[in-house]
Amino acid sequence: MKIKHIPFVIFPIFFTITGELFLKASINSLGFHVALSNIHVVVTQPRVLIGVCFIITAGVLWLVAMSRFELSFLYPFLSMDYLAIILGSQLILGETVTPQRYMSAFLIMTGLLFISRSRHSENKKTDQDRSLSC
Amino acid sequence: MTHIILLFAIFFRTCTDLSFKLAVTDVHFTSFKTLAPNLKKLFSTPFVWSGILFAMLNLGVWCLSLGNFDLSYAYPLFSIHYIAMILAGKFFFKEKLDRSKLIGIGFIGAGVILLFTS
């Protein structure tokens, strides 16, 4: 891994974490209970849309990263989302986070590491593809 | 009962990923020279549009989920979609289900079960 590769993984992680925390904070601040009957009001609130735009940006940036790097390189970074979002939920949103939730995040991160180690997680790429994509 | 909302969010997310996978099968983004024709090809497939539609449904239902659950509960629970994706890859694209993936599914499954007790 080189220094110039860091932005490719840092930006999608940043947008995911900020987006999810911002979206949850926005929904908490609405002042009414969110249900299927008022979902059209919820998704047209500017602050909700800002959170959604962050999440969409993160998704697009992940696609860019996935087109350049292998999943075995990206998934360990992706799995950091789980720890960061649980920490953020506790410290920023003030949710009651039980030790089980931290344990669960740890198990999910381990699971993602195993999936990324699968020999079948990658398409077979030619040497020419690799030289063009990296 | 409200967990059904989360299941719908996971279902729509899985449909989104499957659609985008189908949309990019004939497209090869390897250099900037071929970017324009590849993008044209991509947006002429119906799958890219079904992908965008499912993504919008997913985000709408996700907002509904966040209105009913803690983020520290809903976000890790959403990792079920990795299990759904691996199974969908096996059934729709004949992708190999090897030991690493099975162990990964086991860990994520254990994490999700632990979440229910939290």
Side-chain angles (χ1 to χ4, degrees), chain A residues 16 20-21 23-24 27 33-36 39 43 48 52 55-56 75 78 81-82 85-86 89 93 95 97-98 100-101 103-104 107-108 110-112 114-115 117-121 123 129 132, chain B residues 20-21 29-31 59-73 75-79 81-82 86 95-98 100-101 103-105 107-108 110-112 114-115 117-118:
Chain A
T16 304
E20 296 288 356
L21 291 171
L23 183 63
K24 179 62 176 160
I27 287 174
H33 181 70
V34 179
L36 198 56
I39 190 69
V43 295
V48 170
V52 167
I55 295 170
I56 293 172
Y75 265 35
L78 174 73
D81 284 352
Y82 288 91
I85 282 177
I86 288 188
S89 304
L93 301 174
E95 292 181 5
V97 181
T98 58
Q100 283 101 310
R101 289 187 185 173
M103 223 8 238
S104 155
L107 287 170
I108 291 164
T110 313
L112 280 175
F114 272 104
I115 293 170
R117 294 287 163 220
S118 164
R119 283 185 294 117
H120 302 289
S121 285
N123 286 328
D129 281 347
L132 283 166
Chain B
F20 284 136
K21 173 74 178 171
F29 290 108
T30 45
S31 71
L59 285 167
V61 181
W62 182 238
C63 290
L64 194 56
S65 309
L66 288 184
N68 290 277
F69 295 101
D70 279 355
L71 183 63
S72 62
Y73 179 78
Y75 192 80
L77 200 65
F78 201 75
S79 65
H81 105 271
Y82 289 106
I86 288 178
E95 292 177 357
K96 286 263 190 323
L97 190 59
D98 60 9
S100 301
K101 285 187 189 171
I103 297 172
I105 288 177
F107 271 104
I108 293 176
V112 168
L114 191 62
L115 262 184
T117 70
S118 72

Coordinates of all heavy atoms in Angstrom, one line a residue, chain A residues 16 20-21 23-24 27 33-36 39 43 48 52 55-56 75 78 81-82 85-86 89 93 95 97-98 100-101 103-104 107-108 110-112 114-115 117-121 123 129 132, chain B residues 20-21 29-31 59-73 75-79 81-82 86 95-98 100-101 103-105 107-108 110-112 114-115 117-118:
Chain A
T16 N -19.3 7.4 4.6 CA -20.3 6.4 5.2 C -20.5 6.8 6.7 O -21.7 6.9 7.1 CB -19.7 5.0 5.2 OG1 -19.3 4.7 3.9 CG2 -20.7 4.0 5.7
E20 N -24.1 8.2 7.9 CA -25.0 7.5 8.7 C -25.3 8.2 10.0 O -26.5 8.3 10.5 CB -24.4 6.1 9.1 CG -24.3 5.2 7.9 CD -25.6 4.6 7.3 OE1 -26.6 4.9 7.9 OE2 -25.5 3.9 6.3
L21 N -24.3 8.8 10.7 CA -24.5 9.5 11.9 C -25.3 10.8 11.7 O -26.2 11.1 12.5 CB -23.1 9.9 12.6 CG -22.3 8.7 13.1 CD1 -20.9 9.2 13.5 CD2 -23.0 8.1 14.3
L23 N -27.5 11.2 9.3 CA -28.9 10.8 8.9 C -29.7 10.4 10.2 O -30.8 10.8 10.4 CB -28.8 9.6 8.0 CG -30.2 9.1 7.5 CD1 -30.9 10.1 6.6 CD2 -30.0 7.8 6.6
K24 N -29.0 9.7 11.1 CA -29.7 9.3 12.3 C -30.0 10.5 13.2 O -31.1 10.6 13.7 CB -28.8 8.2 13.1 CG -29.3 7.8 14.4 CD -30.6 7.0 14.3 CE -31.1 6.5 15.6 NZ -32.5 6.1 15.6
I27 N -32.9 12.3 11.7 CA -34.2 11.6 12.0 C -34.6 11.7 13.4 O -35.8 11.9 13.7 CB -34.1 10.1 11.5 CG1 -34.1 10.1 9.9 CG2 -35.3 9.3 12.0 CD1 -33.9 8.8 9.3
H33 N -42.8 10.5 15.2 CA -42.4 9.1 15.0 C -42.5 8.8 13.5 O -43.5 9.1 12.8 CB -43.4 8.2 15.7 CG -43.0 6.8 15.6 ND1 -41.8 6.2 16.1 CD2 -43.6 5.8 14.9 CE1 -41.7 5.0 15.8 NE2 -42.8 4.6 15.0
V34 N -41.4 8.2 13.0 CA -41.3 7.9 11.6 C -42.0 6.6 11.3 O -41.8 5.6 12.0 CB -39.8 7.7 11.1 CG1 -39.7 7.4 9.7 CG2 -39.1 9.0 11.4
A35 N -43.0 6.6 10.4 CA -43.7 5.4 10.0 C -43.9 5.5 8.5 O -43.6 6.4 7.8 CB -45.1 5.4 10.7
L36 N -44.4 4.4 7.9 CA -44.7 4.3 6.5 C -45.6 5.4 6.0 O -45.5 5.9 4.9 CB -45.2 2.9 6.2 CG -45.1 2.4 4.7 CD1 -43.7 2.4 4.2 CD2 -45.7 1.0 4.6
I39 N -43.5 8.7 5.6 CA -42.1 8.5 5.0 C -41.9 9.6 4.0 O -40.7 10.1 3.8 CB -41.9 7.1 4.5 CG1 -40.4 6.8 4.2 CG2 -42.7 6.7 3.3 CD1 -39.5 6.8 5.4
V43 N -38.4 11.8 3.9 CA -37.3 11.8 2.9 C -37.3 13.1 2.1 O -36.4 13.2 1.2 CB -37.5 10.6 1.9 CG1 -37.2 9.3 2.7 CG2 -38.8 10.6 1.2
V48 N -32.4 15.4 6.2 CA -32.4 14.0 5.8 C -31.7 13.7 4.5 O -30.9 12.8 4.3 CB -33.8 13.4 5.9 CG1 -33.9 12.0 5.3 CG2 -34.4 13.4 7.3
V52 N -28.6 11.4 3.3 CA -28.7 10.4 2.2 C -27.7 10.7 1.1 O -27.0 9.8 0.6 CB -30.1 10.5 1.6 CG1 -30.2 9.7 0.3 CG2 -31.1 9.9 2.6
I55 N -24.4 9.3 2.0 CA -24.3 7.8 1.9 C -24.2 7.4 0.4 O -23.4 6.5 0.0 CB -25.6 7.2 2.5 CG1 -25.5 7.4 4.0 CG2 -25.6 5.7 2.2 CD1 -26.8 7.1 4.8
I56 N -24.9 8.2 -0.5 CA -24.8 7.9 -1.9 C -23.4 8.2 -2.4 O -22.8 7.4 -3.1 CB -25.8 8.7 -2.7 CG1 -27.2 8.2 -2.4 CG2 -25.6 8.6 -4.2 CD1 -28.3 9.1 -3.0
Y75 N -11.7 -4.7 2.0 CA -12.6 -5.1 3.1 C -12.2 -4.8 4.5 O -13.0 -4.4 5.4 CB -13.0 -6.6 2.9 CG -14.3 -6.8 2.2 CD1 -14.6 -5.9 1.1 CD2 -15.2 -7.8 2.5 CE1 -15.8 -6.1 0.4 CE2 -16.4 -8.0 1.8 CZ -16.7 -7.2 0.7 OH -17.8 -7.4 0.1
L78 N -13.2 -1.4 5.0 CA -14.6 -1.3 5.0 C -15.2 -1.7 6.4 O -16.1 -1.1 6.9 CB -15.2 -2.2 3.9 CG -16.7 -2.4 3.9 CD1 -17.4 -1.1 3.4 CD2 -17.1 -3.5 3.0
D81 N -15.9 0.6 9.4 CA -17.2 1.3 9.5 C -18.0 0.9 10.7 O -18.6 1.7 11.4 CB -18.1 1.0 8.3 CG -17.6 1.8 7.0 OD1 -16.7 2.7 7.2 OD2 -18.2 1.5 6.0
Y82 N -18.0 -0.4 11.0 CA -18.8 -1.0 12.0 C -18.4 -0.5 13.4 O -19.2 0.0 14.2 CB -18.8 -2.5 12.0 CG -19.6 -3.0 10.8 CD1 -19.0 -3.2 9.6 CD2 -21.0 -3.2 10.9 CE1 -19.7 -3.6 8.5 CE2 -21.7 -3.6 9.8 CZ -21.1 -3.8 8.6 OH -21.8 -4.2 7.5
I85 N -19.0 3.4 13.6 CA -20.4 3.8 13.7 C -21.0 3.5 15.1 O -21.7 4.3 15.7 CB -21.3 3.2 12.5 CG1 -21.0 4.0 11.3 CG2 -22.8 3.2 12.9 CD1 -21.6 3.5 10.0
I86 N -20.6 2.4 15.6 CA -21.0 2.1 17.0 C -20.4 3.1 18.0 O -21.2 3.6 18.9 CB -20.7 0.6 17.4 CG1 -21.6 -0.3 16.6 CG2 -20.9 0.3 18.8 CD1 -21.5 -1.8 16.9
S89 N -22.3 6.3 17.6 CA -23.7 6.2 18.1 C -23.6 6.5 19.6 O -24.5 7.1 20.1 CB -24.3 4.8 17.9 OG -24.2 4.5 16.5
L93 N -24.3 10.4 19.3 CA -25.8 10.3 19.4 C -26.3 10.0 20.8 O -27.5 10.1 21.1 CB -26.3 9.3 18.4 CG -25.9 9.5 16.9 CD1 -26.4 8.3 16.1 CD2 -26.6 10.8 16.4
E95 N -26.5 7.0 22.3 CA -27.2 5.8 22.4 C -26.6 4.9 23.5 O -25.4 5.0 23.8 CB -27.2 5.0 21.1 CG -28.0 5.7 20.0 CD -28.0 4.9 18.6 OE1 -27.4 3.8 18.6 OE2 -28.5 5.4 17.7
V97 N -25.1 1.8 24.3 CA -24.5 0.7 23.6 C -24.0 -0.4 24.5 O -23.1 -0.1 25.4 CB -23.3 1.2 22.7 CG1 -22.7 0.1 21.9 CG2 -23.8 2.3 21.7
T98 N -24.6 -1.5 24.5 CA -24.2 -2.6 25.4 C -22.9 -3.3 24.9 O -22.6 -3.2 23.7 CB -25.3 -3.7 25.4 OG1 -25.5 -4.1 24.0 CG2 -26.6 -3.2 25.9
Q100 N -22.5 -6.3 24.3 CA -22.8 -7.2 23.2 C -22.7 -6.6 21.8 O -22.3 -7.2 20.8 CB -24.3 -7.7 23.3 CG -24.4 -8.8 24.4 CD -25.0 -8.1 25.7 OE1 -24.5 -7.1 26.1 NE2 -26.1 -8.7 26.2
R101 N -23.1 -5.3 21.7 CA -23.0 -4.7 20.4 C -21.6 -4.5 19.9 O -21.3 -4.6 18.7 CB -23.8 -3.3 20.4 CG -25.3 -3.5 20.5 CD -26.0 -2.2 20.4 NE -27.5 -2.5 20.6 CZ -28.4 -1.6 20.7 NH1 -28.1 -0.3 20.7 NH2 -29.7 -2.0 21.0
M103 N -19.1 -6.5 20.8 CA -18.7 -7.9 20.5 C -19.2 -8.3 19.1 O -18.5 -8.9 18.3 CB -19.4 -8.8 21.6 CG -18.6 -9.9 22.3 SD -16.9 -10.0 21.9 CE -16.9 -11.7 21.3
S104 N -20.5 -7.9 18.9 CA -21.1 -8.3 17.6 C -20.4 -7.6 16.4 O -20.1 -8.2 15.4 CB -22.6 -7.8 17.7 OG -23.1 -7.6 16.4
L107 N -17.3 -9.5 15.8 CA -17.6 -10.7 15.0 C -17.8 -10.4 13.5 O -17.3 -11.2 12.7 CB -18.8 -11.5 15.6 CG -18.6 -12.2 17.0 CD1 -19.9 -12.6 17.6 CD2 -17.6 -13.4 16.8
I108 N -18.6 -9.4 13.3 CA -18.9 -9.0 11.9 C -17.6 -8.6 11.1 O -17.4 -9.1 10.0 CB -20.0 -7.9 11.8 CG1 -21.3 -8.4 12.3 CG2 -20.1 -7.4 10.4 CD1 -22.3 -7.4 12.6
T110 N -14.6 -9.7 11.8 CA -13.8 -10.9 11.6 C -14.4 -11.6 10.4 O -13.7 -12.1 9.5 CB -13.9 -11.8 12.8 OG1 -13.6 -11.0 14.0 CG2 -12.9 -12.9 12.7
G111 N -15.8 -11.7 10.3 CA -16.4 -12.4 9.2 C -16.1 -11.8 7.9 O -15.8 -12.5 6.9
L112 N -16.0 -10.4 7.8 CA -15.7 -9.7 6.6 C -14.2 -10.0 6.2 O -13.9 -10.2 5.0 CB -15.9 -8.2 6.8 CG -17.3 -7.7 6.6 CD1 -17.3 -6.2 6.9 CD2 -17.8 -8.0 5.2
F114 N -12.6 -12.8 6.7 CA -12.6 -14.1 6.1 C -13.1 -14.1 4.7 O -12.6 -14.7 3.8 CB -13.4 -15.1 7.0 CG -12.6 -15.8 8.1 CD1 -12.7 -15.4 9.4 CD2 -11.7 -16.8 7.8 CE1 -11.9 -15.9 10.4 CE2 -10.9 -17.4 8.8 CZ -11.1 -17.0 10.1
I115 N -14.3 -13.4 4.5 CA -14.8 -13.3 3.2 C -13.8 -12.7 2.2 O -13.7 -13.2 1.1 CB -16.2 -12.5 3.2 CG1 -17.2 -13.3 4.0 CG2 -16.6 -12.3 1.7 CD1 -18.5 -12.5 4.2
R117 N -10.7 -13.0 2.3 CA -9.6 -13.9 2.1 C -9.9 -15.0 1.1 O -9.1 -15.8 0.7 CB -9.1 -14.5 3.4 CG -8.5 -13.5 4.3 CD -7.1 -13.0 3.9 NE -6.7 -11.8 4.6 CZ -6.1 -10.8 4.0 NH1 -5.8 -10.9 2.7 NH2 -5.8 -9.7 4.7
S118 N -11.2 -15.1 0.7 CA -11.6 -16.2 -0.2 C -10.9 -16.0 -1.5 O -10.8 -14.9 -2.1 CB -13.1 -16.1 -0.4 OG -13.5 -16.9 -1.6
R119 N -10.4 -17.1 -2.1 CA -9.7 -17.1 -3.4 C -10.7 -16.8 -4.5 O -10.3 -16.4 -5.6 CB -9.1 -18.5 -3.6 CG -7.8 -18.7 -2.9 CD -7.1 -20.0 -3.3 NE -8.0 -21.1 -2.9 CZ -8.5 -22.0 -3.7 NH1 -8.4 -21.8 -5.0 NH2 -9.3 -23.0 -3.3
H120 N -12.0 -16.9 -4.2 CA -13.0 -16.7 -5.3 C -13.6 -15.3 -5.2 O -14.6 -15.0 -5.8 CB -14.1 -17.8 -5.2 CG -13.5 -19.1 -5.4 ND1 -13.0 -19.6 -6.6 CD2 -13.3 -20.1 -4.5 CE1 -12.5 -20.8 -6.4 NE2 -12.7 -21.2 -5.1
S121 N -13.0 -14.4 -4.3 CA -13.6 -13.1 -4.1 C -13.3 -12.2 -5.3 O -13.8 -11.2 -5.5 CB -13.1 -12.5 -2.8 OG -13.8 -13.0 -1.8
N123 N -12.5 -11.5 -9.5 CA -12.5 -12.0 -10.9 C -11.1 -12.2 -11.3 O -10.1 -11.5 -10.8 CB -13.1 -10.9 -11.8 CG -14.5 -10.8 -11.7 OD1 -15.2 -11.8 -11.4 ND2 -15.1 -9.6 -11.9
D129 N -4.8 -5.8 -17.4 CA -5.9 -5.1 -16.6 C -5.2 -4.5 -15.4 O -5.5 -3.4 -15.0 CB -6.9 -6.1 -16.2 CG -7.9 -6.4 -17.4 OD1 -7.8 -5.6 -18.3 OD2 -8.7 -7.3 -17.3
L132 N -3.2 -1.4 -15.9 CA -4.0 -0.3 -16.2 C -4.8 0.2 -15.0 O -5.0 1.4 -14.8 CB -5.1 -0.7 -17.3 CG -4.5 -0.7 -18.7 CD1 -5.5 -1.4 -19.6 CD2 -4.2 0.6 -19.2
Chain B
F20 N -26.7 -4.0 -10.2 CA -25.4 -3.4 -10.6 C -24.4 -4.4 -11.1 O -23.7 -4.1 -12.1 CB -24.8 -2.5 -9.5 CG -25.6 -1.2 -9.4 CD1 -25.9 -0.7 -8.1 CD2 -26.0 -0.5 -10.5 CE1 -26.6 0.5 -8.0 CE2 -26.7 0.8 -10.4 CZ -27.0 1.2 -9.1
K21 N -24.4 -5.6 -10.5 CA -23.5 -6.6 -11.0 C -23.9 -7.0 -12.4 O -23.0 -7.2 -13.3 CB -23.6 -7.8 -10.0 CG -22.8 -9.1 -10.5 CD -21.3 -8.9 -10.4 CE -20.6 -10.2 -10.8 NZ -19.1 -10.0 -10.9
F29 N -14.2 -1.2 -17.5 CA -13.6 0.1 -17.2 C -12.1 -0.1 -17.0 O -11.7 -0.3 -15.9 CB -14.2 0.8 -16.0 CG -15.6 1.3 -16.2 CD1 -16.7 0.6 -15.6 CD2 -15.9 2.4 -17.0 CE1 -18.0 1.0 -15.8 CE2 -17.2 2.8 -17.2 CZ -18.2 2.1 -16.5
T30 N -11.3 0.0 -18.1 CA -9.9 -0.2 -17.9 C -9.1 1.1 -18.2 O -8.0 1.2 -17.6 CB -9.4 -1.3 -18.8 OG1 -9.9 -1.1 -20.1 CG2 -9.8 -2.7 -18.2
S31 N -9.6 2.0 -19.0 CA -8.8 3.2 -19.3 C -9.8 4.3 -19.5 O -11.0 4.1 -19.8 CB -7.9 3.0 -20.4 OG -8.7 2.9 -21.6
L59 N -32.8 3.2 0.4 CA -32.6 4.4 1.2 C -33.8 4.8 1.9 O -33.8 5.2 3.1 CB -31.9 5.5 0.4 CG -30.5 5.3 0.0 CD1 -30.0 6.2 -1.0 CD2 -29.6 5.4 1.3
G60 N -35.0 4.8 1.2 CA -36.2 5.2 1.9 C -36.6 4.3 3.0 O -36.9 4.8 4.1
V61 N -36.4 3.0 2.8 CA -36.7 2.0 3.9 C -35.7 2.1 5.0 O -36.0 1.9 6.2 CB -36.8 0.6 3.3 CG1 -37.2 -0.4 4.4 CG2 -37.9 0.5 2.3
W62 N -34.5 2.5 4.7 CA -33.4 2.7 5.7 C -33.8 3.8 6.6 O -33.6 3.8 7.8 CB -32.1 2.9 5.0 CG -30.9 3.0 5.9 CD1 -30.0 4.1 5.9 CD2 -30.4 2.1 6.9 NE1 -29.1 3.9 6.9 CE2 -29.3 2.7 7.5 CE3 -30.9 0.8 7.3 CZ2 -28.6 2.0 8.5 CZ3 -30.2 0.2 8.3 CH2 -29.0 0.8 8.9
C63 N -34.3 4.9 6.0 CA -34.7 6.1 6.8 C -35.8 5.6 7.8 O -35.8 6.0 9.0 CB -35.3 7.2 6.0 SG -34.0 8.0 5.0
L64 N -36.7 4.8 7.3 CA -37.8 4.2 8.1 C -37.2 3.4 9.3 O -37.7 3.5 10.4 CB -38.7 3.4 7.2 CG -40.1 2.9 7.7 CD1 -40.9 4.1 8.1 CD2 -40.8 2.2 6.6
S65 N -36.2 2.6 8.9 CA -35.5 1.8 10.0 C -34.9 2.6 11.0 O -35.0 2.3 12.2 CB -34.4 0.9 9.3 OG -34.9 0.2 8.2
L66 N -34.2 3.7 10.6 CA -33.5 4.5 11.6 C -34.5 5.3 12.5 O -34.2 5.7 13.6 CB -32.6 5.5 10.9 CG -31.3 4.9 10.3 CD1 -30.4 6.0 9.7 CD2 -30.5 4.1 11.3
G67 N -35.7 5.4 12.0 CA -36.8 6.1 12.8 C -37.3 5.1 13.9 O -37.9 5.6 14.9
N68 N -37.0 3.8 13.8 CA -37.5 2.8 14.7 C -36.4 2.1 15.5 O -36.7 1.4 16.5 CB -38.3 1.8 13.9 CG -39.6 2.4 13.5 OD1 -40.6 2.5 14.2 ND2 -39.7 2.9 12.2
F69 N -35.2 2.2 15.1 CA -34.1 1.5 15.8 C -32.9 2.4 16.1 O -32.7 3.4 15.3 CB -33.6 0.3 14.9 CG -34.6 -0.8 14.7 CD1 -35.3 -0.8 13.5 CD2 -34.8 -1.7 15.7 CE1 -36.2 -1.8 13.3 CE2 -35.8 -2.7 15.5 CZ -36.5 -2.8 14.3
D70 N -32.1 2.0 17.1 CA -30.8 2.7 17.3 C -29.9 2.4 16.1 O -30.0 1.4 15.5 CB -30.1 2.1 18.5 CG -30.6 2.6 19.8 OD1 -31.5 3.5 19.8 OD2 -30.2 2.1 20.9
L71 N -29.0 3.4 15.8 CA -28.1 3.2 14.7 C -27.1 2.1 15.1 O -26.7 1.3 14.2 CB -27.3 4.5 14.4 CG -26.3 4.4 13.3 CD1 -27.0 4.2 11.9 CD2 -25.5 5.7 13.2
S72 N -26.7 2.0 16.4 CA -25.8 1.0 16.8 C -26.4 -0.4 16.8 O -25.7 -1.4 17.1 CB -25.3 1.3 18.2 OG -26.3 1.3 19.1
Y73 N -27.7 -0.5 16.5 CA -28.3 -1.8 16.4 C -28.6 -2.1 14.9 O -28.3 -3.2 14.4 CB -29.7 -1.8 17.2 CG -30.4 -3.1 17.1 CD1 -30.1 -4.2 17.8 CD2 -31.5 -3.2 16.2 CE1 -30.8 -5.4 17.7 CE2 -32.2 -4.4 16.1 CZ -31.9 -5.5 16.9 OH -32.6 -6.6 16.8
Y75 N -27.3 -0.7 12.1 CA -26.2 -0.8 11.1 C -25.5 -2.1 11.2 O -25.3 -2.7 10.1 CB -25.2 0.4 11.4 CG -24.2 0.5 10.3 CD1 -24.6 1.2 9.1 CD2 -23.0 0.0 10.4 CE1 -23.7 1.3 8.0 CE2 -22.0 0.1 9.4 CZ -22.4 0.7 8.2 OH -21.5 0.8 7.1
P76 N -25.1 -2.6 12.4 CA -24.5 -4.0 12.4 C -25.5 -5.1 11.9 O -25.1 -6.0 11.2 CB -24.2 -4.2 13.8 CG -24.2 -2.9 14.5 CD -25.1 -2.1 13.7
L77 N -26.8 -4.9 12.2 CA -27.8 -5.9 11.7 C -27.8 -6.0 10.2 O -28.1 -7.0 9.6 CB -29.1 -5.6 12.3 CG -30.1 -6.8 12.3 CD1 -29.6 -7.9 13.3 CD2 -31.5 -6.4 12.7
F78 N -27.6 -4.8 9.6 CA -27.6 -4.7 8.1 C -26.6 -5.6 7.5 O -26.6 -5.9 6.3 CB -27.5 -3.3 7.7 CG -28.0 -3.0 6.3 CD1 -29.4 -2.9 6.1 CD2 -27.2 -2.8 5.3 CE1 -29.9 -2.7 4.8 CE2 -27.6 -2.6 4.0 CZ -29.0 -2.5 3.8
S79 N -25.6 -6.0 8.2 CA -24.5 -6.9 7.7 C -25.1 -8.2 7.2 O -24.3 -9.0 6.5 CB -23.4 -7.1 8.7 OG -23.8 -7.8 9.8
H81 N -26.8 -8.5 4.9 CA -26.9 -8.4 3.4 C -25.6 -9.0 2.8 O -25.6 -9.4 1.7 CB -27.2 -7.0 2.9 CG -26.0 -6.2 2.4 ND1 -25.2 -5.5 3.3 CD2 -25.5 -6.1 1.2 CE1 -24.2 -4.9 2.5 NE2 -24.4 -5.3 1.3
Y82 N -24.5 -9.1 3.6 CA -23.3 -9.8 3.0 C -23.6 -11.3 2.9 O -23.2 -11.9 1.9 CB -22.1 -9.6 4.0 CG -21.5 -8.2 4.0 CD1 -21.8 -7.4 5.1 CD2 -20.8 -7.8 2.9 CE1 -21.2 -6.1 5.0 CE2 -20.3 -6.5 2.9 CZ -20.5 -5.7 3.9 OH -20.0 -4.4 3.9
I86 N -23.7 -13.3 -0.8 CA -22.9 -14.5 -1.1 C -23.8 -15.6 -1.6 O -23.5 -16.3 -2.6 CB -22.1 -14.9 0.2 CG1 -20.9 -14.0 0.4 CG2 -21.5 -16.3 0.0 CD1 -20.1 -14.3 1.6
E95 N -21.2 -18.5 -8.4 CA -20.0 -18.2 -7.8 C -19.7 -19.3 -6.8 O -20.6 -19.9 -6.1 CB -20.0 -16.8 -7.1 CG -20.1 -15.7 -8.1 CD -20.2 -14.3 -7.4 OE1 -20.3 -14.3 -6.2 OE2 -20.2 -13.4 -8.2
K96 N -18.4 -19.6 -6.6 CA -18.0 -20.7 -5.7 C -18.2 -20.3 -4.2 O -17.8 -19.2 -3.8 CB -16.5 -21.0 -5.9 CG -16.2 -21.8 -7.2 CD -16.1 -23.3 -6.8 CE -15.6 -24.1 -8.0 NZ -16.0 -23.8 -9.3
L97 N -18.7 -21.2 -3.4 CA -18.9 -21.0 -2.0 C -17.8 -21.8 -1.3 O -18.0 -23.0 -1.0 CB -20.3 -21.5 -1.6 CG -20.8 -21.1 -0.2 CD1 -20.8 -19.6 0.0 CD2 -22.2 -21.7 0.0
D98 N -16.7 -21.2 -1.0 CA -15.5 -21.9 -0.4 C -15.5 -21.8 1.1 O -16.4 -21.1 1.7 CB -14.2 -21.5 -1.1 CG -13.9 -20.0 -0.8 OD1 -14.7 -19.4 -0.1 OD2 -13.0 -19.5 -1.4
S100 N -13.5 -20.1 3.2 CA -13.4 -18.8 3.7 C -14.7 -18.1 3.8 O -15.1 -17.4 4.8 CB -12.5 -17.9 2.9 OG -11.2 -18.5 2.8
K101 N -15.5 -18.2 2.7 CA -16.8 -17.5 2.7 C -17.7 -18.1 3.8 O -18.5 -17.4 4.4 CB -17.5 -17.6 1.3 CG -16.8 -16.7 0.3 CD -17.6 -16.7 -1.0 CE -16.8 -16.0 -2.1 NZ -17.5 -16.2 -3.4
I103 N -16.9 -19.6 6.6 CA -16.4 -19.2 7.9 C -16.9 -17.7 8.1 O -17.4 -17.3 9.2 CB -14.9 -19.3 8.1 CG1 -14.5 -20.7 8.0 CG2 -14.4 -18.7 9.4 CD1 -13.0 -21.0 7.9
G104 N -16.8 -16.9 7.1 CA -17.2 -15.5 7.2 C -18.7 -15.4 7.5 O -19.1 -14.6 8.3
I105 N -19.5 -16.2 6.8 CA -20.9 -16.2 7.0 C -21.2 -16.6 8.5 O -22.0 -16.0 9.1 CB -21.6 -17.2 6.0 CG1 -21.7 -16.6 4.6 CG2 -23.1 -17.5 6.5 CD1 -22.3 -17.6 3.6
F107 N -19.2 -16.2 11.2 CA -18.9 -15.1 12.1 C -20.0 -14.0 12.0 O -20.4 -13.5 13.1 CB -17.6 -14.5 11.7 CG -16.4 -15.1 12.5 CD1 -15.6 -16.0 11.8 CD2 -16.2 -14.9 13.8 CE1 -14.5 -16.6 12.5 CE2 -15.1 -15.5 14.5 CZ -14.3 -16.4 13.8
I108 N -20.4 -13.6 10.8 CA -21.4 -12.6 10.7 C -22.7 -13.0 11.3 O -23.4 -12.3 12.0 CB -21.6 -12.1 9.2 CG1 -20.3 -11.5 8.7 CG2 -22.8 -11.2 9.0 CD1 -20.4 -11.1 7.2
A110 N -23.1 -15.2 13.7 CA -22.9 -15.2 15.2 C -23.1 -13.7 15.7 O -23.7 -13.5 16.7 CB -21.6 -15.8 15.6
G111 N -22.5 -12.8 15.0 CA -22.6 -11.4 15.4 C -24.0 -10.9 15.4 O -24.4 -10.2 16.3
V112 N -24.8 -11.3 14.4 CA -26.2 -10.9 14.2 C -27.0 -11.5 15.4 O -27.8 -10.8 16.0 CB -26.7 -11.3 12.9 CG1 -28.2 -11.1 12.8 CG2 -26.1 -10.4 11.8
L114 N -25.9 -12.3 18.3 CA -25.5 -11.6 19.5 C -26.2 -10.3 19.6 O -26.6 -9.8 20.7 CB -24.0 -11.5 19.5 CG -23.4 -11.0 20.8 CD1 -23.6 -12.0 21.9 CD2 -21.9 -10.8 20.6
L115 N -26.5 -9.6 18.5 CA -27.1 -8.3 18.5 C -28.6 -8.5 19.0 O -29.0 -7.6 19.7 CB -27.2 -7.8 17.0 CG -26.2 -6.8 16.5 CD1 -26.6 -6.4 15.1 CD2 -26.1 -5.6 17.4
T117 N -29.6 -10.2 21.3 CA -29.6 -10.2 22.8 C -29.2 -8.9 23.4 O -29.3 -8.8 24.6 CB -28.6 -11.3 23.3 OG1 -27.3 -10.8 23.1 CG2 -28.8 -12.6 22.6
S118 N -28.8 -7.9 22.6 CA -28.3 -6.7 23.2 C -29.4 -5.7 23.6 O -30.2 -5.3 22.8 CB -27.3 -6.0 22.3 OG -28.0 -5.5 21.2

